[in-house]
């Protein structure tokens, strides 16, 4: 038994923070941000709006797109590094909202690779015969851990959610997933505090060595895409779409060059919502599906990297 994507959904909060808004708050310019990152605006949660609220919108949209009811879902996996509460995990909280009580529900923390990890876990449950209809979700309120006094990170991050509904099928949709992590990179990209290590004075915020992370990301993603293609005996020219993590347009361009893919075969959404961490790949996927670019039968390569460092890929026959 294999898994196929039968529905996608996404959600962006109404609040928008543009580069021009940031110009007023810190020493930066719209031109610098656009040139170095490709980002023009980010969506930010309203006061009281949470990660699970956004996950619910995205999950319901995926269910509606597939014409399936939440009562049929027998597994929920939510990738997030900004859960509402320390516990219950975001998957369980989403399950409580959807009402499919009793099924396993997980929260997965793998920073920006959180959705790829969630998708891989959901696919493995289905392959093992332990689930038939699974939600894999990525949702983040990164604005809650962004330091708006740090121009090196504040320009990058935004809030949002994306979801995929996977159904058991004899024909493979998810052809492979590959997951990786290297904890020795912890100092380069992390949140400065937490429950057990203790909260950082002044608040727990993302800290990052931007240019080092940039170089490592380009190299890791180049290896990750090779790994996915080789494992499936697929050549670069067979790919219809690259659906990359939306961290920085220059990282996306480097990966597309590595694949010899013209940019018009890459789903690029980074200008409109910045880096939404684990929400980024399912958001881009949903946008590409809903605007008609991604069609049934297309071969998609999904990839992400993030804090940890973590990274991974999924090769998908949509
Ligand atoms: N506005 C204006 N200038 C800025 C700035 C900003 N928002 N942020 C940094 N600068 C300055 C720096 O202070 C530095 O100035 P200096 O030369 O006088 O010291 C200069 O710009 C270059 O800084 P650098 O950090 O080398 O820039 P960069 O080209 O690497 O771009 C990032 C910075 C953060 C945009 C880029 O490194 C990046 O995107 N990294 C990857 C981040 C990422 O994807 N993280 C998430 C992983 S999931």
């Amino acid at each position: 038994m294999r898994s196929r994507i039968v529905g996608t959904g996404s959600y962006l909060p109404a609040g928008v923070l543009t580069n021009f808004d940031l110009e007023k708050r810190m020493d930066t310019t719209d031109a610098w941000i656009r040139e170095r990152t490709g980002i023009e605006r980010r969506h930010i949660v309203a006061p009281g709006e949470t990660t699970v609220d956004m996950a619910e919108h995205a999950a319901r949209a995926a269910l509606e797109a597939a014409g399936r009811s939440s009562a049929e879902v027998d597994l929920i996996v939510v990738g997030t590094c900004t859960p509402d509460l320390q516990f219950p995990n975001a998957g369980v909280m989403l399950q409580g909202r959807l009402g499919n009580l009793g099924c396993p529900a997980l929260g997965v923390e793998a920073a920006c690779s959180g959705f790829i990890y969630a998708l891989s876990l959901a696919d493995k449950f289905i392959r093992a015969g332990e689930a038939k209809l699974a939600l894999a979700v990525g949702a983040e309120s990164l604005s809650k851990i962004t330091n708006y006094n740090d121009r090196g990170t504040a320009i990058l991050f935004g809030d949002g959610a994306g979801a995929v509904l996977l159904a058991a099928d004899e024909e493979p949709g998810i052809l492979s997933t590959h997951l990786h992590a290297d904890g020795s990179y912890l100092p380069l990209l992390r949140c400065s505090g937490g429950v057990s290590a203790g909260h950082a004075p002044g608040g727990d915020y993302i800290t990052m060595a931007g240019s080092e992370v940039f170089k490592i990301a380009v190299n890791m993603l180049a290896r990750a895409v090779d790994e996915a293609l080789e494992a499936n005996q697929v050549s670069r020219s067979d790919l219809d779409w690259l659906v990359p993590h939306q961290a920085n347009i220059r990282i996306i361009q480097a990966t597309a060059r590595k694949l010899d893919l013209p940019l018009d075969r890459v789903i690029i959404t980074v200008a409109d919502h910045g880096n939404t961490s684990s929400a980024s790949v399912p958001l881009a996927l949903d946008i590409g599906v809903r605007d008609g670019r991604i069609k049934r039968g297309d071969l998609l390569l999904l990839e992400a990297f993030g804090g940890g460092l973590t990274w991974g890929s999924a090769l998908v026959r949509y």
Side-chain angles (χ1 to χ4, degrees):
M1 193 52 75
R2 306 293 290 271
S3 73
R4 289 190 80 82
I5 296 177
V6 293
T8 64
S10 61
Y11 174 81
L12 285 166
V16 171
L17 182 68
T18 66
N19 293 350
F20 299 104
D21 297 325
L22 288 172
E23 276 184 0
K24 293 181 197 131
R25 294 170 68 166
M26 63 191 68
D27 183 16
T28 192
T29 61
D30 168 61
W32 192 96
I33 300 171
R34 273 192 290 113
E35 188 196 319
R36 301 289 180 114
T37 71
I39 299 167
E40 294 173 21
R41 67 193 71 80
R42 315 107 195 102
H43 292 253
I44 305 291
V45 282
E49 188 177 29
T50 70
T51 295
V52 174
D53 292 337
M54 293 188 289
E56 183 181 356
H57 285 297
R60 288 195 187 280
L63 285 160
E64 195 182 329
R68 305 293 290 259
S69 129
S70 61
E72 299 174 72
V73 172
D74 53 9
L75 173 71
I76 295 177
V77 191
V78 177
T80 185
C81 60
T82 50
D84 289 22
L85 299 174
Q86 191 60 32
F87 72 86
N89 75 62
V92 171
M93 290 180 72
L94 177 60
Q95 189 223 48
R97 305 274 189 95
L98 296 177
N100 51 331
L101 308 181
C103 79
L106 324 176
V108 181
E109 197 283 278
C112 299
S113 311
F115 173 75
I116 299 287
Y117 271 64
L119 185 73
S120 180
L121 283 170
D123 174 56
K124 285 174 174 60
F125 268 75
I126 289 178
R127 283 188 189 217
E130 295 199 11
K132 288 193 171 59
L133 193 66
L135 271 168
V137 182
E140 302 282 6
S141 314
L142 287 184
S143 60
K144 303 280 174 71
I145 55 166
T146 297
N147 180 356
Y148 289 99
N149 294 315
D150 172 14
R151 67 178 183 170
T153 53
I155 58 165
L156 299 174
F157 300 109
D159 302 335
V164 154
L165 188 67
L166 289 181
D169 199 307
E170 279 161 22
E171 289 293 309
I174 310 297
L175 299 170
S176 71
T177 59
H178 289 92
L179 304 180
H180 296 284
D182 184 338
S184 69
Y185 287 113
L186 178 145
L188 293 189
L189 177 56
R190 65 192 179 114
C191 187
S192 57
V195 170
S196 183
H199 295 291
D204 300 339
Y205 292 127
I206 300 166
T207 65
M208 181 180 67
S211 54
E212 281 96 326
V213 171
F214 186 99
K215 287 175 214 140
I216 295 165
V218 169
N219 287 330
M220 278 174 174
L221 288 174
R223 273 188 267 140
V225 297
D226 278 346
E227 177 183 42
L229 298 180
E230 277 165 24
N232 292 281
Q233 305 272 290
V234 163
S235 79
R236 294 179 290 190
S237 58
D238 294 328
L239 286 178
D240 293 298
W241 293 101
L242 174 66
V243 187
H245 175 41
Q246 311 284 322
N248 181 314
I249 189 69
R250 293 184 293 141
I251 297 174
I252 294 171
Q253 286 163 342
T255 309
R257 266 198 304 277
K258 165 82 190 162
L259 287 166
D260 273 337
L261 268 186
L263 284 182
D264 60 7
R265 279 166 60 200
V266 183
I267 306 292
I268 300 175
T269 56
V270 68
D272 290 326
H273 54 66
N275 182 346
T276 56
S277 187
S278 60
S280 137
V281 169
L283 254 167
L285 177 64
D286 186 49
I287 287 166
V289 165
R290 282 174 194 262
D291 69 19
R293 279 178 290 172
I294 296 176
K295 297 187 174 55
R296 282 284 163 208
D298 282 356
L299 188 63
L300 320 178
L301 181 56
L302 282 47
E303 47 83 340
F305 71 95
L309 297 176
T310 57
W311 66 102
S313 68
L315 192 73
V316 177
R317 182 66 69 187
Y318 179 67

